[in-house]
Amino acid sequence: MKVFIVGIAGGVGSRLARLLTATGDQVDGLYRRPEQGQHLAADGIHATHGDLTRLDAPALAALLHDTDVLVFTAGAGGEGTTATTAIDGTGLTTAIEAVRLAGIRRLLLVSVFPEAWRHRDVSDTFEHYIDVKKKADAELAATDLDWTILRPAALTDEPGTDHISLSPALTHTDITRDDVAATLAKLIHTPQIHHQILELAQGPDPINNAVHRQTRT
Ligand SMILES: NC(=O)c1ccc[n+]([C@@H]2O[C@H](COP(=O)([O-])OP(=O)(O)OC[C@H]3O[C@@H](n4cnc5c(N)ncnc54)[C@H](OP(=O)(O)O)[C@@H]3O)[C@@H](O)[C@H]2O)c1
């Protein structure tokens, strides 16, 4: 299977790329800073240098040859509201148009719990981030693609546990980036899961079992 990861040099994206490469999938993806290509290449991962905010849909589509699944895990992080709109929002719009142009059916989006940290005194920047992410979810869910939206809880860099909770509705806690990547890898190889929004947090279930439980026959 060939997987194209938008955000391949990021915390989740790079872990996913390493996992998929190790298990024999073909991986490509978009990274933004030149030095990231060298780090990825050192792990045997081929990827493509480019800035999502400077690519239009035909240009991104041209990079997607032979792609079976596009994973969108890019994000502006702490870069501010304009960048959040451009990357997490408009960037997804570009990716949706690009997969259509390239004739690809499957798109997996890494999103966020809509209520993440909202009980705290969060900034306007964070509120904007949540708003952009929810609108991106809605935009993707309205398409006729075979989409899946994965909403991880707060991300940590602790070692993976291989144990999660995965469900359309969960309480927001946290989850390791290792376990998010492993869950995405399993979802990529479970094509019968689509048109589903799944929330993900640390939990008691082995990842394989948790994903299998979400398959609908
Ligand atoms: N942090 C949390 O607790 C949390 C919780 C739930 C969901 N999420 C979501 O989970 C996703 C992945 O998180 P993460 O920790 O892996 O984030 P990350 O490490 O910041 O990775 C995101 C990647 O997207 C890349 N990117 C940003 N703008 C780009 C552009 N214009 N063109 C190409 N690439 C671009 C970044 O490039 P650079 O490396 O150059 O910055 C980065 O490598 C994000 O969408 C985030 O919103 C985060």
Side-chain angles (χ1 to χ4, degrees):
M1 188 174 292
K2 180 162 176 199
V3 182
F4 191 98
I5 304 170
V6 180
I8 193 168
V12 169
S14 60
R15 285 167 172 82
L16 176 62
R18 285 196 293 270
L19 273 181
L20 292 172
T21 302
T23 50
D25 288 304
Q26 234 188 308
V27 171
D28 195 350
L30 197 68
Y31 63 90
R32 173 161 71 159
R33 287 181 280 127
E35 68 273 17
Q36 293 171 327
Q38 293 156 21
H39 299 147
L40 291 163
D43 287 334
I45 297 161
H46 165 78
T48 304
H49 179 229
D51 186 328
L52 182 61
T53 62
R54 292 166 188 265
L55 289 176
D56 60 12
L60 181 57
L63 303 178
L64 301 181
H65 36 82
D66 299 330
T67 293
D68 298 295
V69 184
L70 184 138
V71 177
F72 190 101
T73 185
E79 289 179 50
T81 53
T82 304
T84 298
T85 301
I87 298 161
D88 303 65
T90 310
L92 179 73
T93 304
T94 303
I96 289 171
E97 288 170 19
V99 297
R100 279 216 188 91
L101 288 173
I104 298 160
R105 294 284 320 151
R106 298 183 66 203
L107 196 162
L108 270 67
L109 171 64
V110 178
S111 182
V112 67
F113 277 57
E115 77 276 29
W117 304 144
R118 297 286 278 289
H119 60 290
R120 298 183 179 185
D121 188 13
V122 296
S123 64
D124 289 349
T125 310
F126 191 81
E127 284 292 338
H128 177 77
Y129 163 72
I130 294 290
D131 186 48
V132 168
K133 287 294 218 194
K134 184 62 190 295
K135 285 179 177 149
D137 288 3
E139 181 179 352
L140 180 59
T143 71
D144 61 357
L145 297 172
D146 292 339
W147 55 265
T148 302
I149 295 168
L150 185 67
R151 292 177 173 163
L155 301 177
T156 78
D157 285 333
E158 297 300 311
T161 65
D162 189 43
H163 286 72
I164 61 168
S165 291
L166 183 70
S167 167
L170 291 174
T171 301
H172 179 262
T173 54
D174 59 19
I175 180 80
T176 70
R177 287 181 171 84
D178 282 348
D179 288 325
V180 176
T183 304
L184 282 167
K186 186 67 187 168
L187 286 169
I188 286 165
H189 286 280
T190 313
Q192 59 271 45
I193 294 182
H194 54 78
H195 298 119
Q196 293 191 52
I197 298 175
L198 295 171
E199 297 187 341
L200 171 64
Q202 225 63 69
D205 303 322
I207 289 173
N208 282 353
N209 297 0
V211 171
H212 183 71
R213 197 172 302 145
Q214 299 305 322
T215 59
R216 305 199 176 138
T217 52

